Amino acid sequence: MLTDTSYYTAIALYAGAALLMLLYFAVWLRRRLRPVTVLALFLLGAALLLTPAYPRDGVDTMAPALVVVGFQLFTEGYEAAQHAIRPLAAAVGLALLLAALGGLFPALRAKPGQA
């Protein structure tokens, strides 16, 4: 079993690695895509990687919702995964809404290479 310290360490390492990967991805895409597209992909990736969910009833610890959905879908079916699909869908919807709102700013609509 995990102790409190090892659980918090694992969550911090996972979140840190996900954020570093997302930042690297955004910097890599910055020269190829419009800033609003990079923002949308960054927020979508953050929603998919960082949304937490309980693995099952009666568990006090949380895990990444994407992992929980994958395991629940393939082992127990759609009904068992619904508790993790809902927060994941809400986070993805919020990320896309924020990206659409970000598209309202003229600086984010410029093409790569333009100031």
Side-chain angles (χ1 to χ4, degrees), residues 45-101:
L48 288 172
L49 292 174
L50 298 174
T51 302
Y54 290 108
R56 61 183 176 269
D57 290 335
V59 177
D60 294 334
T61 58
M62 297 184 111
L66 190 62
V67 174
V68 173
V69 167
F71 279 115
Q72 293 291 331
L73 275 176
F74 293 120
T75 59
E76 298 179 28
Y78 177 76
E79 290 78 23
Q82 273 188 324
H83 74 280
I85 291 174
R86 281 189 221 106
L88 191 60
V92 166
L94 181 63
L96 294 177
L97 177 68
L98 288 174
L101 290 174

Side-chain angles (χ1 to χ4, degrees), residues 13 24 26-27 29 38 46 76 83 93 101 113:
L13 285 173
Y24 178 77
V27 168
L29 289 176
V38 174
E76 298 179 28
H83 74 280
L101 290 174

Side-chain angles (χ1 to χ4, degrees), residues 99-114:
L101 290 174
L104 297 175
F105 295 100
L108 292 177
R109 290 191 306 235
K111 292 184 181 179
Q114 292 179 348

Side-chain angles (χ1 to χ4, degrees), residues 3 11 26 31 34 42 48 65 70 77 109 113:
T3 64
I11 291 295
R31 297 185 192 264
R34 293 177 179 214
F42 179 83
L48 288 172
R109 290 191 306 235

